[in-house]
Amino acid sequence: MTLTPRQQHQPQHIVVVGYGPVAARLAEELLPSVRRGELALSIIGAESTPAYNRVLVADLGVGRTTEDAISVSDPAELIAAGVSVHMAVLVRRVDRARRGVLLSDGRRINYDKLVFATGARPVIPTLHGLNPDPTAQVPLPLGVSTLRDLADAAVLRNAVERQARVVVLGGGILGLEAALAARDEGAHVTVVHHGAHTMGRSIDAGAGHTVAAALRARGITVVSHARAVGVELSPSADGVPTFSGLLQEAGATVEGELLVLSCGVRPRIEVAAGAGLATDRGILVDHQLMAHHDHNVFAMGDCAQVRCLDTQCAECADSSGPLGLIGPGWRQAEWLAAFLIGSAATAVQLPAALPAVPVPGVPLPAERAPVIMLKARGVDVAAAGDVTAGPFEDVPGLAVSQWADPEHGKYVKMSTRGGVLAGFVSVGMPRAGAELTLLFERGSELPADRSALLRLDGSDRDSNVSAAPDPARTVCRCAGVTEERIMAAVTAGCSTVPEISATTRAGTGCGGCHGELKSLIEAHFAPAAA
């Protein structure tokens, strides 16, 4: 079959399902190729607003940031460059045989390559009075909210402004950050969680109890070992049933005016599964983010689970689902953009009835075990790796050092193999936590005298104990920005965190590095001020 010149030069059409921060990063990376006419790009988003950083929804809810500040995409810029942007519309079905996407408004969009960036939805627990079925589209009762979108932020903001009683169900990192922020802004907050201690998936019991003590010291009520069974609804002033209490299995009721559900998230895989794609906890993809058995379909971000078809693959042996962090999602988007651009440039143009040949490439680099950080004023928590073993347990090859000062909210635990840090948790020790984070990310050995790390946070801190300044260290882990790049931007004239973010992308993820960005800026300009 002979192809016409138009067929030979027609740009490859990439359709992205989802318009969140990961999809926005993919579009940003593809934009130069779209402008040059080398690619065609369509983005389909379910929300009526362009992509924004969901990690900062709680900050928006307590008034610490604005919608403009957390926005990560400008649809007008995309449209001006030739991108087709479809918002407030759902994908009803994917026709993989004919490479088409059917939308809720009746339109059909054909694709050459399809990318799922559908993200995740909040888990609605099975409680009497709530409907946990996401397909039923039953709204939550008045006074019950999650923390996932702009509407949720508005509900929280209203409660904080009224200094209402807020009940947070869930003791994970996002729930605790929301609880601390709401308490700082004047709300009366209770944290209710099922486990024995807070942050049960990330830290050990000693650290969890230390965190709970720090929460109580800040005026937050913590209810542990709680098994919630239902929500109590009472008529509001206008007669509408409104949340008034969280019912416990033992019969007690935690009273409140707003219930914030922070019970985790579940990847949005329904459309992919309906199209016959392989799914587990996420959409199953290989090390090139390519869906199993369909090299025209990809997935990335919170909906993608990297688990290749090689049953002997050591990297996939512990695949338990999507990572659920914005940093890895952005790195996937950047890698996939380069892959798609290379694929479009070298793909063999074949008749539509025949499959295109995927371009072989370097696999997506494996993600290191993430460092989990609680970003809150006055409560510093950092953790990574496995810290379940205690110092007196006989685990072959593992050495554990532990130090605790519960009265003052301080706790450190370090696990090493051959002297190399394999896991750690630090509470209330910001300098030690920063040093342990650096050592963990580099796979470095700990000092022989472990107490040297503890002295970093001492009142008589010896400046010789801390590591020498290292421009190559990563300050913003979400965007992978080093101190060297940040200082180059500061030297070039950036004097605020937003300016640094606009120039380097540092601080555009979870926001946990904002304090350090401010410190670097202040340290640079301090001599001039003096």
Side-chain angles (χ1 to χ4, degrees):
M1 176 179 178
T2 303
L3 300 180
T4 67
R6 184 179 183 279
Q7 288 175 313
Q8 291 174 339
H9 296 93
Q10 189 172 5
Q12 192 173 77
H13 187 199
I14 298 170
V15 174
V16 182
V17 181
Y19 190 16
V22 174
R25 179 60 56 85
L26 178 69
E28 183 180 345
E29 296 292 320
L30 293 176
L31 209 54
S33 295
V34 175
R35 286 195 176 105
R36 292 191 297 267
E38 299 163 358
L39 288 173
L41 178 62
S42 294
I43 299 175
I44 304 166
E47 293 185 71
S48 59
T49 51
Y52 54 90
N53 189 345
R54 296 186 190 279
V55 180
L56 300 178
V57 163
D59 284 354
L60 179 64
V62 299
R64 290 182 179 174
T65 188
T66 64
E67 288 189 25
D68 287 343
I70 69 173
S71 176
V72 295
S73 183
D74 181 0
E77 178 187 5
L78 297 178
I79 292 169
V83 179
S84 295
V85 180
H86 310 271
M87 294 192 293
V89 65
L90 300 175
V91 172
R92 290 301 186 198
R93 187 166 66 87
V94 173
D95 181 357
R96 290 167 54 208
R98 298 175 180 81
R99 291 194 221 165
V101 174
L102 306 180
L103 305 185
S104 56
D105 59 7
R107 286 178 295 169
R108 175 190 173 96
I109 300 177
N110 293 325
Y111 67 84
D112 294 304
K113 302 293 182 185
L114 179 67
V115 180
F116 281 95
T118 44
R121 63 167 50 86
V123 171
I124 307 300
T126 304
L127 301 177
H128 181 70
L130 300 183
N131 189 336
D133 183 2
T135 63
Q137 299 295 315
V138 176
L140 294 173
L142 196 64
V144 180
S145 177
T146 58
L147 266 182
R148 193 67 180 171
D149 58 29
L150 299 181
D152 296 336
V155 171
L156 178 59
R157 182 66 181 272
N158 178 268
V160 169
E161 289 176 345
R162 293 186 289 111
Q163 296 189 355
R165 295 170 298 168
V166 177
V167 180
V168 178
L169 180 58
I173 188 167
L174 294 180
L176 297 187
E177 287 177 351
L180 285 160
R183 179 60 190 141
D184 283 348
E185 302 304 324
H188 304 277
V189 182
T190 300
V191 172
V192 180
H193 65 98
H194 174 69
H197 62 84
T198 54
M199 295 180 66
R201 295 182 179 180
S202 306
I203 61 180
D204 67 333
H209 293 308
T210 306
V211 170
L215 295 174
R216 294 187 179 101
R218 297 281 288 274
I220 296 174
T221 301
V222 180
V223 182
S224 303
H225 293 291
R227 200 174 279 275
V229 296
V231 294
E232 184 177 81
L233 304 176
S234 301
S236 62
D238 55 4
V240 178
T242 304
F243 171 78
S244 59
L246 182 65
L247 305 176
Q248 306 297 301
E249 187 178 51
T253 300
V254 180
E255 296 183 346
E257 295 156 277
L258 172 64
L259 174 63
V260 176
L261 302 173
S262 184
C263 306
V265 297
R266 183 171 291 119
R268 295 177 182 269
I269 62 174
E270 295 84 3
V271 174
L277 294 171
T279 61
D280 183 32
R281 294 189 178 183
I283 303 169
L284 292 176
V285 295
D286 63 14
H287 300 289
Q288 293 181 328
L289 300 179
M290 191 178 292
H292 291 188
H293 312 299
D294 192 333
H295 53 248
N296 294 311
V297 179
F298 301 80
M300 61 181 187
D302 285 354
C303 69
Q305 179 178 355
V306 178
R307 192 177 75 196
C308 70
L309 293 168
D310 182 3
T311 57
Q312 304 301 315
C313 178
E315 192 176 312
C316 295
D318 297 325
S319 173
S320 58
L323 289 174
L325 299 171
I326 195 168
W330 278 346
R331 287 187 282 277
Q332 287 180 350
E334 291 164 1
W335 183 93
L336 182 57
F339 180 91
L340 291 172
I341 291 169
S343 174
T346 60
V348 178
Q349 297 291 331
L350 296 178
L354 298 177
V357 179
V359 178
V362 178
L364 175 74
E367 287 285 338
R368 289 181 54 84
V371 177
I372 304 299
M373 293 186 175
L374 175 65
K375 60 178 197 302
R377 297 171 182 172
V379 181
D380 298 283
V381 182
D386 187 1
V387 291
T388 54
F392 303 108
E393 295 181 33
D394 185 16
V395 179
L398 190 70
V400 180
S401 302
Q402 184 175 341
W403 178 81
D405 181 7
E407 181 182 359
H408 298 96
K410 299 178 184 297
Y411 180 92
V412 174
K413 188 178 191 179
M414 300 166 274
S415 301
T416 58
R417 292 186 180 277
V420 176
L421 191 61
F424 77 93
V425 57
S426 167
V427 181
M429 303 281 283
R431 293 189 180 94
E435 190 70 13
L436 287 166
T437 297
L438 185 64
L439 293 170
F440 180 82
E441 291 181 334
R442 292 182 173 175
S444 301
E445 290 190 21
L446 291 184
D449 180 7
R450 305 290 197 260
S451 66
L453 292 166
L454 304 179
R455 293 199 294 273
L456 290 171
D457 288 282
S459 57
D460 57 345
R461 181 171 88 104
D462 181 358
S463 60
N464 293 324
V465 173
S466 60
D470 182 5
R473 73 184 180 92
T474 300
V475 173
C476 177
R477 290 169 186 82
C478 294
V481 184
T482 62
E483 180 178 335
E484 184 176 30
R485 283 182 59 197
I486 292 166
M487 292 312 300
V490 172
T491 303
C494 294
S495 58
T496 65
V497 171
E499 289 175 354
I500 292 290
S501 299
T503 303
T504 68
R505 289 178 174 166
T508 58
C510 71
C513 63
H514 283 187
E516 189 163 4
L517 294 178
K518 291 178 183 177
S519 297
L520 290 171
I521 293 169
E522 290 167 0
H524 177 79
F525 288 104

